[in-house]
Amino acid sequence: GESVGLHLPTLSVQEGDNSIINCAYSNSASDYFIWYKQESGKGPQFIIDIRSNMDKRQGQRVTVLLNKTVKHLSLQIAATQPGDSAVYFCAENGASGGSNYKLTFGKGTLLTVNP
Amino acid sequence: NAGVTQTPKFRVLKTGQSMTLLCAQDMNHEYMYWYRQDPGMGLRLIHYSVGEGTTAKGEVPDGYNVSRLKKQNFLLGLESAAPSQTSVYFCASSPRGGVGQPQHFGDGTRLSIL
C-alpha cells in the first residue's frame, strides 16, 4: 500500500473482486482523512472521508477503515468494476494548530481492473 | 453544477513568459487552493486563500503569485516562467477548513514551459 512519501504502488484485480488499498500516515495528531480517486487526465475526485474519532465508515461500495494504533488507513472497494480503474490516494490534515486545513497527500496507488 | 472550473486546460509557454491560470468555483466555498502535481510526487500546495481578499503561501510558493479579489475566483500567476514549472496545476476549494471539510478539485491545467 501507499504511504505519504513513497513511490506509486500498483494493484491489479479481476472485475467483481473486492479491492483493498492501503495508506500509512506518520502524524499521530491528524484528525481527518480523505480518500480521492484520480482518473487519467482528470482532477482528484472526493470518495469518502473519516474523522479520527471513528474507525470505520461506509459509502456506496466503499468502506474506509482507520487504525490509529498503527497509523494505517485502508479503502475497500466492493465488487470492483472497470470504471474503478484509477489512481487512489489518501490525504491527512495534520491538525497542526490553526493550520489544520492543510492536507498532506500520499503519492497514490494505481488500481487496474481486469475484465 | 460545474463545481471547480479551471482555464485554460492546456498551455505551452516559452521561458520567461508570464501567464495567469484561472479558477472559478460555484459552491460558495470560503477556502481555495492551488496545487501542482508532478510525476512520482504527491500534490504540493503552492498558495491558498481562506477568504475573499486573503492569500497565503503554501509549501512551494516561489515563482508564483495569487489573487482572490472575488470569493468565487482564485488566480495563479507565473511572473517569469521556468522549465521547472512544467507541471499539472490543480485548483481546489472547500467550504471551510479542517475536519469534515473535504477539498474539491478542478480537472487541472497542463502547463509546459519550453
Side-chain angles (χ1 to χ4, degrees):
Chain A
E2 70 163 300
S3 175
V4 179
L6 289 182
H7 299 293
L8 186 67
T10 59
L11 175 65
S12 183
V13 301
Q14 291 297 122
E15 182 178 358
D17 287 352
N18 296 333
S19 302
I20 300 176
I21 300 170
N22 298 302
C23 176
Y25 64 94
S26 57
N27 190 344
S28 57
S30 294
D31 58 3
Y32 182 52
F33 304 87
I34 309 171
W35 278 101
Y36 286 95
K37 171 187 180 183
Q38 187 174 21
E39 298 175 276
S40 180
K42 297 284 190 179
Q45 177 186 356
F46 170 80
I47 301 173
I48 192 168
D49 57 1
I50 188 168
R51 304 180 185 214
S52 60
N53 61 354
M54 305 171 67
D55 54 18
K56 180 179 180 179
R57 191 171 188 212
Q58 289 184 295
Q60 186 176 14
R61 282 202 307 121
V62 295
T63 300
V64 55
L65 299 177
L66 176 62
N67 186 330
K68 294 180 288 293
T69 301
V70 295
K71 291 186 284 188
H72 183 268
L73 193 68
S74 69
L75 177 70
Q76 301 178 1
I77 304 174
T80 313
Q81 303 168 359
D84 295 327
S85 294
V87 174
Y88 291 81
F89 53 90
C90 62
E92 59 174 309
N93 80 331
S96 57
S99 300
N100 66 349
Y101 44 81
K102 293 183 183 178
L103 296 178
T104 300
F105 292 86
K107 294 184 177 62
T109 295
L110 174 62
L111 174 66
T112 302
V113 182
N114 303 308
Chain B
N1 187 358
V4 178
T5 302
Q6 294 183 234
T7 54
K9 297 187 185 308
F10 304 93
R11 186 71 185 269
V12 178
L13 290 178
K14 295 181 179 179
T15 297
Q17 287 185 316
S18 63
M19 78 161 294
T20 301
L21 280 62
L22 309 179
C23 177
Q25 53 94 5
D26 61 2
M27 298 174 283
N28 200 35
H29 286 173
E30 289 293 332
Y31 288 41
M32 296 187 74
Y33 315 80
W34 275 107
Y35 293 90
R36 60 178 290 172
Q37 186 177 45
D38 300 293
M41 304 184 74
L43 288 159
R44 292 184 291 168
L45 183 64
I46 304 171
H47 285 281
Y48 63 97
S49 167
V50 299
E52 180 180 316
T54 73
T55 63
K57 294 180 180 180
E59 182 185 357
V60 288
D62 294 342
Y64 305 95
N65 57 73
V66 287
S67 63
R68 182 100 182 267
L69 298 179
K70 294 183 178 181
K71 183 178 182 178
Q72 63 268 33
N73 297 333
F74 196 28
L75 279 59
L76 178 71
L78 280 70
E79 299 154 341
S80 179
S84 61
Q85 294 177 304
T86 293
S87 188
V88 182
Y89 292 86
F90 288 101
C91 177
S93 70
S94 62
R96 293 272 178 187
V99 175
Q101 306 287 320
Q103 296 179 21
H104 298 270
F105 288 80
D107 280 338
T109 294
R110 284 144 187 85
L111 184 61
S112 294
I113 314 298
L114 304 178

